[in-house]
Amino acid sequence: MADSARNGAESDPSPSVGSVLARALRGNVRQYGMLVALALIVLLFQIWTDGILLQPLNITNLIQQNGYILILAIGMMIVIIAGHIDLSVGSLAAFVGAAAAVMMVEHHMPWPVAMLVALVIGALAGAWQGFWIAYLGIPSFIVTLAGMLLFRGGTQILLQGQSVAPFPKGFQSISSGFLPEVGPHTDYHNLTLLLGLAVLVVAVLQELRGRRQTASYGLEVLPLGLFLAKLAVITAAVVVFTLLLASYHGVPIVLLILGALLVGFGYLMRNSIIGRHTYAIGGNEAAAKLSGVKSKRVVFLAFTNMGVLAALAGLVFAARLNAGTPQAGINFELEAIAAAFIGGASASGGVGTVLGAIIGGLVLGVLNNGMSLVGVGTDYQQVIKGLVLLAAVGFDVYNKRRAGS
């Protein structure tokens, strides 16, 4: 019996490529699924629009048009991971944009100072809501619903029902500006090429480092062939995206802002103590408290951070419009929530990534842009986006039930 067991163990084949790939896909089903969905949507509209979708000008417009939603989606993803929701972000973005407009246009405050004051206003607003939610135990739905009404009314009061404009050129550049031209004149934007090369090197080194760490822990890694294929896909994506941007005006400033937020908050949620505590609270708050997690402080900081990001999104949107308007921010919270759920957030909390929020926002952005290019009416666009959101959440519920069974 022992000999046969030993012989059977010795004759067991090593894990096949298919089984390793299947386990990797199951472990990241939502993120990989949304990446595949995004690629298919891009391909569909690229064909449907006769190649207009991936024109350099349209790619730049896509980034600038959706930058503020992607900023909001990052903060919303963190709030949802903590097991909460924020309905006030659109109104807060409008309020901060209005406050910045009044400071710059009516009181002639230098735009960098106005931006700093606006971000502090956002932080205070987020902290105020976080206090009611974290320390007084009022549900976030109620507190942020009240905040939505309060900040919307405050916007109307600040602007007195009228738009305030124009803004200084420096402030406008945070939404519509680009990296400057440097070096000799070529057919491409030189600084963008250098930045793309740096991003590619960092991405490849990060993949190699992650593979070595995984192997050092004795965990299963992708077979070498699949890993090289993954590196090839990453390289192709970075090169194509870099050349598209470099063939127009280069990297938009708002893309640099998004890149810094993605790297910073991605690292924070993956590697920091407060990031792990946020996941723990969203997954099981009672167990997290028993483990010594200071849940109230974490929730308070999550909403304070959301306030800062809402303020930043409001500034980017105001800079794009070159005006503070009473109608700014309408439905921004719905777009941000939809981006987070499409990007892999769970309605029950404890699940999601910052990269997933960006992917979800891009899915919505490409849908909006592509449907506009082919002449789909706004009424049908709303229907399609609603069905996409429902499908994403339904997919999450289905995976949970299958895992439970």
Side-chain angles (χ1 to χ4, degrees), residues 239-302:
V239 168
V240 170
F241 187 65
T242 300
L243 291 177
L244 285 172
L245 292 179
S247 61
Y248 186 54
H249 289 311
V251 176
I253 299 299
V254 70
L255 182 59
L256 293 178
I257 296 173
L258 283 169
L261 293 176
L262 175 61
V263 172
F265 282 104
Y267 179 85
L268 184 76
M269 295 302 290
R270 285 194 312 270
N271 302 102
S272 71
I273 293 175
I274 193 169
R276 292 192 291 270
H277 285 181
T278 303
Y279 280 105
I281 291 170
N284 190 325
E285 185 172 3
K289 287 181 178 179
L290 291 174
S291 300
V293 174
K294 296 178 180 179
S295 60
K296 293 180 180 179
R297 183 174 69 92
V298 172
V299 172
F300 176 80
L301 291 175

Short mmCIF file of all heavy atoms in Angstrom, two decimals, residues 239-302:
data_model
loop_
_atom_site.label_atom_id
_atom_site.label_comp_id
_atom_site.label_asym_id
_atom_site.label_seq_id
_atom_site.Cartn_x
_atom_site.Cartn_y
_atom_site.Cartn_z
N VAL A 239 3.78 50.52 -25.54
CA VAL A 239 4.38 51.11 -26.75
C VAL A 239 3.31 51.76 -27.62
O VAL A 239 3.47 52.91 -28.08
CB VAL A 239 5.16 50.04 -27.53
CG1 VAL A 239 5.54 50.56 -28.92
CG2 VAL A 239 6.41 49.63 -26.77
N VAL A 240 2.22 51.05 -27.85
CA VAL A 240 1.15 51.60 -28.71
C VAL A 240 0.55 52.86 -28.08
O VAL A 240 0.36 53.88 -28.76
CB VAL A 240 0.05 50.53 -28.94
CG1 VAL A 240 -1.17 51.16 -29.61
CG2 VAL A 240 0.61 49.40 -29.81
N PHE A 241 0.25 52.80 -26.78
CA PHE A 241 -0.35 53.95 -26.10
C PHE A 241 0.62 55.14 -26.12
O PHE A 241 0.19 56.29 -26.35
CB PHE A 241 -0.70 53.57 -24.67
CG PHE A 241 -1.46 54.62 -23.92
CD1 PHE A 241 -2.73 54.98 -24.32
CD2 PHE A 241 -0.91 55.26 -22.82
CE1 PHE A 241 -3.45 55.96 -23.64
CE2 PHE A 241 -1.61 56.23 -22.13
CZ PHE A 241 -2.89 56.59 -22.55
N THR A 242 1.91 54.89 -25.90
CA THR A 242 2.90 55.96 -25.92
C THR A 242 3.00 56.61 -27.30
O THR A 242 3.04 57.84 -27.42
CB THR A 242 4.28 55.43 -25.50
OG1 THR A 242 4.20 54.89 -24.18
CG2 THR A 242 5.33 56.52 -25.54
N LEU A 243 3.03 55.80 -28.35
CA LEU A 243 3.14 56.34 -29.70
C LEU A 243 1.90 57.13 -30.09
O LEU A 243 2.00 58.16 -30.79
CB LEU A 243 3.39 55.21 -30.70
CG LEU A 243 4.75 54.52 -30.61
CD1 LEU A 243 4.85 53.38 -31.60
CD2 LEU A 243 5.88 55.53 -30.84
N LEU A 244 0.73 56.67 -29.63
CA LEU A 244 -0.50 57.42 -29.92
C LEU A 244 -0.46 58.81 -29.29
O LEU A 244 -0.79 59.81 -29.94
CB LEU A 244 -1.72 56.65 -29.41
CG LEU A 244 -2.16 55.43 -30.23
CD1 LEU A 244 -3.26 54.66 -29.49
CD2 LEU A 244 -2.67 55.87 -31.60
N LEU A 245 -0.04 58.88 -28.02
CA LEU A 245 0.03 60.18 -27.35
C LEU A 245 1.15 61.04 -27.94
O LEU A 245 0.97 62.25 -28.14
CB LEU A 245 0.26 59.99 -25.85
CG LEU A 245 -0.89 59.37 -25.05
CD1 LEU A 245 -0.49 59.22 -23.59
CD2 LEU A 245 -2.16 60.20 -25.17
N ALA A 246 2.30 60.42 -28.23
CA ALA A 246 3.45 61.17 -28.72
C ALA A 246 3.24 61.71 -30.12
O ALA A 246 3.90 62.68 -30.52
CB ALA A 246 4.70 60.30 -28.68
N SER A 247 2.32 61.13 -30.88
CA SER A 247 2.07 61.61 -32.23
C SER A 247 1.12 62.80 -32.26
O SER A 247 0.89 63.38 -33.33
CB SER A 247 1.50 60.48 -33.10
OG SER A 247 0.25 60.03 -32.56
N TYR A 248 0.57 63.18 -31.09
CA TYR A 248 -0.29 64.37 -31.02
C TYR A 248 0.46 65.45 -30.22
O TYR A 248 1.52 65.89 -30.61
CB TYR A 248 -1.64 64.00 -30.40
CG TYR A 248 -2.66 65.12 -30.39
CD1 TYR A 248 -2.98 65.78 -31.58
CD2 TYR A 248 -3.29 65.51 -29.22
CE1 TYR A 248 -3.91 66.81 -31.58
CE2 TYR A 248 -4.22 66.53 -29.22
CZ TYR A 248 -4.53 67.19 -30.41
OH TYR A 248 -5.43 68.21 -30.40
N HIS A 249 -0.05 65.85 -29.08
CA HIS A 249 0.61 66.88 -28.27
C HIS A 249 1.38 66.30 -27.08
O HIS A 249 1.91 67.06 -26.27
CB HIS A 249 -0.41 67.89 -27.75
CG HIS A 249 -0.97 68.79 -28.81
ND1 HIS A 249 -0.17 69.46 -29.71
CD2 HIS A 249 -2.25 69.11 -29.13
CE1 HIS A 249 -0.93 70.17 -30.53
NE2 HIS A 249 -2.19 69.97 -30.21
N GLY A 250 1.38 64.99 -26.93
CA GLY A 250 2.08 64.38 -25.81
C GLY A 250 1.15 64.01 -24.67
O GLY A 250 -0.07 63.91 -24.84
N VAL A 251 1.74 63.82 -23.50
CA VAL A 251 0.99 63.37 -22.33
C VAL A 251 0.20 64.53 -21.73
O VAL A 251 0.78 65.57 -21.39
CB VAL A 251 1.93 62.79 -21.25
CG1 VAL A 251 1.16 62.42 -19.99
CG2 VAL A 251 2.66 61.57 -21.80
N PRO A 252 -1.13 64.39 -21.58
CA PRO A 252 -1.90 65.44 -20.90
C PRO A 252 -1.53 65.52 -19.42
O PRO A 252 -1.19 64.51 -18.79
CB PRO A 252 -3.36 64.97 -21.08
CG PRO A 252 -3.33 63.96 -22.18
CD PRO A 252 -1.99 63.32 -22.11
N ILE A 253 -1.61 66.71 -18.85
CA ILE A 253 -1.30 66.90 -17.44
C ILE A 253 -2.22 66.06 -16.56
O ILE A 253 -1.78 65.49 -15.55
CB ILE A 253 -1.42 68.39 -17.05
CG1 ILE A 253 -0.42 69.23 -17.86
CG2 ILE A 253 -1.17 68.59 -15.56
CD1 ILE A 253 1.02 68.88 -17.65
N VAL A 254 -3.48 65.95 -16.95
CA VAL A 254 -4.43 65.19 -16.14
C VAL A 254 -4.05 63.72 -16.10
O VAL A 254 -4.31 63.03 -15.10
CB VAL A 254 -5.87 65.39 -16.66
CG1 VAL A 254 -6.07 64.71 -18.01
CG2 VAL A 254 -6.90 64.87 -15.66
N LEU A 255 -3.40 63.21 -17.15
CA LEU A 255 -2.94 61.82 -17.14
C LEU A 255 -1.81 61.64 -16.14
O LEU A 255 -1.72 60.59 -15.48
CB LEU A 255 -2.49 61.40 -18.54
CG LEU A 255 -2.03 59.96 -18.70
CD1 LEU A 255 -3.14 58.98 -18.32
CD2 LEU A 255 -1.57 59.68 -20.13
N LEU A 256 -0.94 62.63 -16.00
CA LEU A 256 0.11 62.57 -14.98
C LEU A 256 -0.50 62.53 -13.58
O LEU A 256 -0.04 61.80 -12.70
CB LEU A 256 1.04 63.77 -15.10
CG LEU A 256 1.90 63.85 -16.37
CD1 LEU A 256 2.73 65.12 -16.34
CD2 LEU A 256 2.80 62.63 -16.49
N ILE A 257 -1.55 63.34 -13.37
CA ILE A 257 -2.24 63.33 -12.08
C ILE A 257 -2.83 61.95 -11.80
O ILE A 257 -2.67 61.39 -10.70
CB ILE A 257 -3.34 64.40 -12.05
CG1 ILE A 257 -2.72 65.80 -12.18
CG2 ILE A 257 -4.18 64.29 -10.77
CD1 ILE A 257 -3.74 66.91 -12.33
N LEU A 258 -3.48 61.38 -12.81
CA LEU A 258 -4.07 60.05 -12.64
C LEU A 258 -3.00 58.99 -12.39
O LEU A 258 -3.19 58.09 -11.56
CB LEU A 258 -4.88 59.68 -13.89
CG LEU A 258 -6.25 60.33 -14.03
CD1 LEU A 258 -6.82 60.08 -15.43
CD2 LEU A 258 -7.21 59.78 -12.97
N GLY A 259 -1.88 59.08 -13.10
CA GLY A 259 -0.81 58.13 -12.90
C GLY A 259 -0.25 58.18 -11.49
O GLY A 259 -0.01 57.14 -10.86
N ALA A 260 -0.08 59.40 -10.97
CA ALA A 260 0.43 59.55 -9.60
C ALA A 260 -0.56 58.98 -8.59
O ALA A 260 -0.18 58.29 -7.62
CB ALA A 260 0.70 61.02 -9.30
N LEU A 261 -1.86 59.23 -8.80
CA LEU A 261 -2.88 58.69 -7.89
C LEU A 261 -2.93 57.17 -7.97
O LEU A 261 -3.07 56.49 -6.94
CB LEU A 261 -4.25 59.28 -8.24
CG LEU A 261 -4.43 60.78 -8.00
CD1 LEU A 261 -5.81 61.22 -8.49
CD2 LEU A 261 -4.27 61.12 -6.53
N LEU A 262 -2.84 56.62 -9.17
CA LEU A 262 -2.89 55.17 -9.34
C LEU A 262 -1.73 54.49 -8.63
O LEU A 262 -1.92 53.51 -7.89
CB LEU A 262 -2.87 54.83 -10.84
CG LEU A 262 -2.79 53.34 -11.21
CD1 LEU A 262 -4.00 52.59 -10.67
CD2 LEU A 262 -2.69 53.17 -12.71
N VAL A 263 -0.52 55.01 -8.82
CA VAL A 263 0.65 54.41 -8.19
C VAL A 263 0.60 54.59 -6.67
O VAL A 263 0.81 53.64 -5.90
CB VAL A 263 1.94 55.04 -8.75
CG1 VAL A 263 3.17 54.56 -7.97
CG2 VAL A 263 2.10 54.69 -10.23
N GLY A 264 0.27 55.81 -6.22
CA GLY A 264 0.26 56.09 -4.79
C GLY A 264 -0.79 55.29 -4.04
O GLY A 264 -0.49 54.62 -3.04
N PHE A 265 -2.02 55.35 -4.51
CA PHE A 265 -3.09 54.65 -3.80
C PHE A 265 -3.02 53.14 -4.03
O PHE A 265 -3.43 52.37 -3.16
CB PHE A 265 -4.46 55.19 -4.23
CG PHE A 265 -4.82 56.50 -3.59
CD1 PHE A 265 -4.73 57.68 -4.29
CD2 PHE A 265 -5.21 56.55 -2.27
CE1 PHE A 265 -5.04 58.89 -3.71
CE2 PHE A 265 -5.52 57.75 -1.66
CZ PHE A 265 -5.44 58.93 -2.38
N GLY A 266 -2.50 52.72 -5.19
CA GLY A 266 -2.30 51.30 -5.40
C GLY A 266 -1.32 50.71 -4.39
O GLY A 266 -1.56 49.66 -3.80
N TYR A 267 -0.20 51.42 -4.18
CA TYR A 267 0.77 50.98 -3.18
C TYR A 267 0.17 51.04 -1.78
O TYR A 267 0.37 50.13 -0.96
CB TYR A 267 2.02 51.86 -3.25
CG TYR A 267 3.07 51.49 -2.23
CD1 TYR A 267 3.99 50.48 -2.50
CD2 TYR A 267 3.14 52.15 -1.00
CE1 TYR A 267 4.95 50.13 -1.56
CE2 TYR A 267 4.10 51.80 -0.06
CZ TYR A 267 5.00 50.79 -0.34
OH TYR A 267 5.94 50.44 0.58
N LEU A 268 -0.57 52.11 -1.49
CA LEU A 268 -1.17 52.27 -0.16
C LEU A 268 -2.11 51.11 0.17
O LEU A 268 -2.05 50.55 1.27
CB LEU A 268 -1.93 53.60 -0.10
CG LEU A 268 -2.56 53.97 1.24
CD1 LEU A 268 -1.48 54.45 2.20
CD2 LEU A 268 -3.62 55.05 1.06
N MET A 269 -2.96 50.74 -0.77
CA MET A 269 -3.93 49.69 -0.50
C MET A 269 -3.30 48.30 -0.48
O MET A 269 -3.80 47.40 0.20
CB MET A 269 -5.05 49.74 -1.54
CG MET A 269 -5.89 51.01 -1.50
SD MET A 269 -6.68 51.29 0.10
CE MET A 269 -7.91 49.98 0.09
N ARG A 270 -2.21 48.11 -1.21
CA ARG A 270 -1.57 46.79 -1.26
C ARG A 270 -0.60 46.56 -0.12
O ARG A 270 -0.51 45.45 0.41
CB ARG A 270 -0.82 46.59 -2.59
CG ARG A 270 -1.67 46.34 -3.79
CD ARG A 270 -0.79 45.84 -4.94
NE ARG A 270 0.40 46.66 -5.12
CZ ARG A 270 0.49 47.72 -5.89
NH1 ARG A 270 -0.58 48.12 -6.56
NH2 ARG A 270 1.62 48.40 -6.01
N ASN A 271 0.16 47.59 0.24
CA ASN A 271 1.33 47.38 1.10
C ASN A 271 1.28 48.05 2.46
O ASN A 271 2.11 47.73 3.31
CB ASN A 271 2.60 47.86 0.37
CG ASN A 271 2.81 47.16 -0.96
OD1 ASN A 271 2.54 47.71 -2.02
ND2 ASN A 271 3.28 45.93 -0.91
N SER A 272 0.38 48.99 2.69
CA SER A 272 0.38 49.70 3.96
C SER A 272 -0.56 49.04 4.96
O SER A 272 -1.48 48.29 4.60
CB SER A 272 -0.04 51.16 3.75
OG SER A 272 -1.41 51.25 3.43
N ILE A 273 -0.36 49.37 6.22
CA ILE A 273 -1.21 48.83 7.28
C ILE A 273 -2.64 49.34 7.13
O ILE A 273 -3.60 48.58 7.24
CB ILE A 273 -0.64 49.22 8.66
CG1 ILE A 273 0.69 48.51 8.89
CG2 ILE A 273 -1.63 48.87 9.77
CD1 ILE A 273 1.39 48.93 10.17
N ILE A 274 -2.79 50.64 6.84
CA ILE A 274 -4.14 51.19 6.74
C ILE A 274 -4.88 50.61 5.54
O ILE A 274 -6.10 50.43 5.58
CB ILE A 274 -4.10 52.73 6.66
CG1 ILE A 274 -5.50 53.31 6.89
CG2 ILE A 274 -3.52 53.21 5.33
CD1 ILE A 274 -5.51 54.80 7.08
N GLY A 275 -4.15 50.26 4.48
CA GLY A 275 -4.79 49.61 3.34
C GLY A 275 -5.33 48.24 3.71
O GLY A 275 -6.48 47.90 3.38
N ARG A 276 -4.52 47.45 4.41
CA ARG A 276 -4.98 46.12 4.82
C ARG A 276 -6.13 46.23 5.82
O ARG A 276 -7.05 45.41 5.81
CB ARG A 276 -3.80 45.34 5.43
CG ARG A 276 -2.74 44.98 4.41
CD ARG A 276 -1.75 43.98 4.97
NE ARG A 276 -0.90 44.56 6.00
CZ ARG A 276 0.26 45.15 5.76
NH1 ARG A 276 0.70 45.26 4.53
NH2 ARG A 276 0.98 45.64 6.76
N HIS A 277 -6.08 47.24 6.68
CA HIS A 277 -7.17 47.44 7.64
C HIS A 277 -8.47 47.81 6.93
O HIS A 277 -9.56 47.42 7.35
CB HIS A 277 -6.79 48.52 8.64
CG HIS A 277 -5.80 48.04 9.67
ND1 HIS A 277 -5.34 48.85 10.69
CD2 HIS A 277 -5.19 46.84 9.84
CE1 HIS A 277 -4.49 48.16 11.44
NE2 HIS A 277 -4.38 46.94 10.93
N THR A 278 -8.37 48.58 5.85
CA THR A 278 -9.56 48.95 5.08
C THR A 278 -10.23 47.71 4.49
O THR A 278 -11.46 47.56 4.56
CB THR A 278 -9.18 49.93 3.95
OG1 THR A 278 -8.54 51.08 4.51
CG2 THR A 278 -10.42 50.38 3.19
N TYR A 279 -9.43 46.81 3.93
CA TYR A 279 -9.98 45.55 3.41
C TYR A 279 -10.60 44.73 4.54
O TYR A 279 -11.66 44.12 4.37
CB TYR A 279 -8.90 44.74 2.71
CG TYR A 279 -8.59 45.20 1.31
CD1 TYR A 279 -7.43 45.92 1.03
CD2 TYR A 279 -9.44 44.92 0.26
CE1 TYR A 279 -7.13 46.35 -0.25
CE2 TYR A 279 -9.16 45.34 -1.03
CZ TYR A 279 -8.00 46.05 -1.28
OH TYR A 279 -7.72 46.48 -2.55
N ALA A 280 -9.93 44.70 5.68
CA ALA A 280 -10.42 43.90 6.81
C ALA A 280 -11.77 44.41 7.31
O ALA A 280 -12.68 43.63 7.59
CB ALA A 280 -9.40 43.91 7.94
N ILE A 281 -11.92 45.72 7.40
CA ILE A 281 -13.18 46.30 7.87
C ILE A 281 -14.30 46.00 6.89
O ILE A 281 -15.41 45.63 7.29
CB ILE A 281 -13.01 47.82 8.07
CG1 ILE A 281 -12.09 48.09 9.25
CG2 ILE A 281 -14.36 48.49 8.29
CD1 ILE A 281 -11.68 49.54 9.37
N GLY A 282 -14.03 46.15 5.61
CA GLY A 282 -15.06 45.87 4.62
C GLY A 282 -15.43 44.40 4.55
O GLY A 282 -16.59 44.05 4.31
N GLY A 283 -14.45 43.53 4.79
CA GLY A 283 -14.74 42.10 4.75
C GLY A 283 -15.51 41.61 5.95
O GLY A 283 -16.47 40.84 5.82
N ASN A 284 -15.11 42.03 7.15
CA ASN A 284 -15.80 41.62 8.38
C ASN A 284 -15.41 42.60 9.48
O ASN A 284 -14.37 42.45 10.11
CB ASN A 284 -15.41 40.18 8.76
CG ASN A 284 -16.28 39.63 9.87
OD1 ASN A 284 -16.68 40.36 10.78
ND2 ASN A 284 -16.54 38.34 9.82
N GLU A 285 -16.24 43.60 9.71
CA GLU A 285 -15.88 44.66 10.65
C GLU A 285 -15.76 44.13 12.08
O GLU A 285 -14.86 44.53 12.82
CB GLU A 285 -16.91 45.79 10.60
CG GLU A 285 -16.54 46.97 11.47
CD GLU A 285 -17.46 48.16 11.28
OE1 GLU A 285 -18.43 48.03 10.51
OE2 GLU A 285 -17.21 49.21 11.91
N ALA A 286 -16.65 43.23 12.45
CA ALA A 286 -16.60 42.70 13.82
C ALA A 286 -15.29 41.96 14.07
O ALA A 286 -14.63 42.15 15.10
CB ALA A 286 -17.79 41.78 14.06
N ALA A 287 -14.89 41.11 13.13
CA ALA A 287 -13.63 40.38 13.27
C ALA A 287 -12.45 41.33 13.25
O ALA A 287 -11.47 41.13 13.98
CB ALA A 287 -13.51 39.35 12.16
N ALA A 288 -12.52 42.39 12.43
CA ALA A 288 -11.43 43.35 12.38
C ALA A 288 -11.27 44.07 13.72
O ALA A 288 -10.15 44.27 14.19
CB ALA A 288 -11.70 44.37 11.27
N LYS A 289 -12.38 44.43 14.34
CA LYS A 289 -12.31 45.09 15.65
C LYS A 289 -11.69 44.17 16.69
O LYS A 289 -10.87 44.59 17.51
CB LYS A 289 -13.70 45.51 16.09
CG LYS A 289 -14.26 46.70 15.34
CD LYS A 289 -15.64 47.08 15.86
CE LYS A 289 -16.20 48.29 15.14
NZ LYS A 289 -17.55 48.64 15.64
N LEU A 290 -12.06 42.88 16.67
CA LEU A 290 -11.50 41.92 17.62
C LEU A 290 -10.00 41.73 17.40
O LEU A 290 -9.28 41.36 18.32
CB LEU A 290 -12.22 40.58 17.49
CG LEU A 290 -13.68 40.56 17.98
CD1 LEU A 290 -14.32 39.21 17.66
CD2 LEU A 290 -13.76 40.86 19.47
N SER A 291 -9.55 41.99 16.16
CA SER A 291 -8.13 41.85 15.84
C SER A 291 -7.34 43.11 16.17
O SER A 291 -6.13 43.17 15.91
CB SER A 291 -7.96 41.52 14.35
OG SER A 291 -8.62 40.32 14.03
N GLY A 292 -8.00 44.11 16.70
CA GLY A 292 -7.32 45.33 17.10
C GLY A 292 -7.33 46.44 16.08
O GLY A 292 -6.65 47.46 16.26
N VAL A 293 -8.10 46.29 14.99
CA VAL A 293 -8.18 47.33 13.97
C VAL A 293 -9.03 48.49 14.50
O VAL A 293 -10.14 48.29 15.00
CB VAL A 293 -8.79 46.79 12.67
CG1 VAL A 293 -9.00 47.91 11.66
CG2 VAL A 293 -7.90 45.70 12.08
N LYS A 294 -8.51 49.70 14.37
CA LYS A 294 -9.25 50.89 14.80
C LYS A 294 -10.18 51.30 13.66
O LYS A 294 -9.86 52.17 12.84
CB LYS A 294 -8.29 52.01 15.16
CG LYS A 294 -7.41 51.66 16.36
CD LYS A 294 -6.43 52.79 16.68
CE LYS A 294 -5.56 52.43 17.88
NZ LYS A 294 -4.58 53.50 18.18
N SER A 295 -11.34 50.66 13.61
CA SER A 295 -12.23 50.81 12.47
C SER A 295 -12.74 52.23 12.31
O SER A 295 -12.90 52.72 11.19
CB SER A 295 -13.41 49.84 12.60
OG SER A 295 -14.15 50.10 13.78
N LYS A 296 -13.01 52.91 13.41
CA LYS A 296 -13.54 54.27 13.32
C LYS A 296 -12.53 55.20 12.65
O LYS A 296 -12.90 56.02 11.79
CB LYS A 296 -13.91 54.79 14.70
CG LYS A 296 -15.08 54.05 15.34
CD LYS A 296 -15.40 54.62 16.72
CE LYS A 296 -16.58 53.88 17.35
NZ LYS A 296 -16.90 54.40 18.71
N ARG A 297 -11.28 55.08 13.03
CA ARG A 297 -10.26 55.94 12.44
C ARG A 297 -10.08 55.64 10.95
O ARG A 297 -9.94 56.56 10.14
CB ARG A 297 -8.93 55.74 13.17
CG ARG A 297 -7.81 56.64 12.68
CD ARG A 297 -6.58 56.49 13.56
NE ARG A 297 -5.96 55.18 13.38
CZ ARG A 297 -4.98 54.94 12.50
NH1 ARG A 297 -4.54 55.91 11.73
NH2 ARG A 297 -4.45 53.74 12.41
N VAL A 298 -10.13 54.37 10.57
CA VAL A 298 -9.95 54.00 9.17
C VAL A 298 -11.10 54.54 8.32
O VAL A 298 -10.88 55.10 7.24
CB VAL A 298 -9.85 52.46 9.04
CG1 VAL A 298 -9.85 52.05 7.57
CG2 VAL A 298 -8.59 51.95 9.72
N VAL A 299 -12.34 54.40 8.80
CA VAL A 299 -13.49 54.90 8.05
C VAL A 299 -13.43 56.43 7.95
O VAL A 299 -13.70 57.01 6.90
CB VAL A 299 -14.80 54.45 8.72
CG1 VAL A 299 -16.01 55.14 8.08
CG2 VAL A 299 -14.95 52.94 8.63
N PHE A 300 -13.06 57.08 9.05
CA PHE A 300 -12.92 58.55 9.05
C PHE A 300 -11.91 58.99 7.99
O PHE A 300 -12.16 59.92 7.22
CB PHE A 300 -12.50 59.02 10.44
CG PHE A 300 -12.23 60.49 10.54
CD1 PHE A 300 -13.27 61.40 10.67
CD2 PHE A 300 -10.91 60.96 10.51
CE1 PHE A 300 -13.00 62.76 10.76
CE2 PHE A 300 -10.65 62.32 10.60
CZ PHE A 300 -11.70 63.22 10.72
N LEU A 301 -10.76 58.32 7.93
CA LEU A 301 -9.74 58.68 6.95
C LEU A 301 -10.18 58.38 5.53
O LEU A 301 -9.83 59.11 4.59
CB LEU A 301 -8.44 57.94 7.27
CG LEU A 301 -7.72 58.38 8.55
CD1 LEU A 301 -6.51 57.50 8.81
CD2 LEU A 301 -7.31 59.84 8.47
N ALA A 302 -10.96 57.31 5.34
CA ALA A 302 -11.45 56.98 4.00
C ALA A 302 -12.34 58.09 3.46
O ALA A 302 -12.24 58.47 2.28
CB ALA A 302 -12.21 55.65 4.03
#
